[in-house]
Amino acid sequence: MFEKSVIEQALVETHGSIKQTMDKLNVPRKTLYDKMQKYQLIKESYKSDH
């Protein structure tokens, strides 16, 4: 699904930062969380170990 891949890419680029992902995609926090839940995306999966 296109929407899922866009959100995943943004999470990768922001290392799982919800704030930065919201800004990048220009969506409200609730919308982002709802879509992450819909696609079973977990922000911790995108965090950098650095």
Side-chain angles (χ1 to χ4, degrees):
M1 172 135 324
F2 177 73
E3 186 176 56
K4 179 181 180 183
S5 64
V6 169
I7 296 170
E8 279 184 309
Q9 183 61 38
L11 286 165
V12 168
E13 290 173 10
T14 63
H15 305 288
S17 167
I18 294 301
K19 172 82 173 90
Q20 290 178 12
T21 301
M22 286 169 41
D23 293 344
K24 188 172 194 58
L25 299 178
N26 196 29
V27 296
R29 183 178 300 267
K30 179 169 183 354
T31 302
L32 179 57
Y33 275 121
D34 288 347
K35 296 206 180 280
M36 287 174 65
Q37 184 174 18
K38 175 182 176 181
Y39 298 122
Q40 300 179 336
L41 301 174
I42 301 164
K43 68 180 181 178
E44 285 78 16
S45 302
Y46 302 93
K47 293 223 185 267
S48 171
D49 289 342
H50 303 276

